[in-house]
Amino acid sequence: MSRETDEVREAIAGELRLMDPDVRTSRSRARKLLDPDFVEVGASGRRWTYEDMLAALPEMDGAAEDGPRFEPSDMTGVLLAPGLVHLTYETVIGGSRARRSSLWRRRSESATWQMYYHQATPIPPEAA
């Protein structure tokens, strides 16, 4: 397996962990996966910072153990530069679809991959 494949695979694993209710409801687990410089432009258009996201994540979609879960599909990634991976995919949750894009970075060989940027764009029903 090539180094590029390993890096993309690690970023995908992190992305999937962030969809897990156990991670979404645990500030300490989510903190390990979000870069301190994290920013998100959500499907609503709202801009989220690291602290905003850590505070809100336990109440967001996909956090309830008995609630709707994210269903990701077509997740692909590319290594943009050493320590920087771009992921794209689609999700469905509670009947709502979105196209998603994330940047994951690792600051050193010993550090874990963390989400640096995320954007979600709603997919209108007629575009599905």
Side-chain angles (χ1 to χ4, degrees), residues 31-70:
R31 181 184 301 276
K32 291 176 186 174
L33 293 169
L34 295 179
D35 188 283
D37 296 326
F38 171 82
V39 173
E40 175 173 330
V41 177
S44 67
R46 178 177 172 179
R47 183 180 185 276
W48 298 84
T49 65
Y50 175 77
E51 289 300 330
D52 293 338
M53 186 56 69
L54 287 175
L57 202 54
E59 304 303 320
M60 296 178 86
D61 287 345
E65 197 61 49
D66 58 350
R69 300 267 183 113
F70 282 97

Side-chain angles (χ1 to χ4, degrees), residues 6 78 119:
D6 287 344
V78 63
Q119 181 158 354

Side-chain angles (χ1 to χ4, degrees), residues 84-104:
L84 185 64
V85 169
H86 179 221
L87 301 180
T88 57
Y89 61 103
E90 290 187 13
T91 58
V92 175
I93 185 165
S96 297
R97 296 184 61 207
R99 290 194 176 94
R100 298 179 179 272
S101 175
S102 297
L103 290 174
W104 285 77

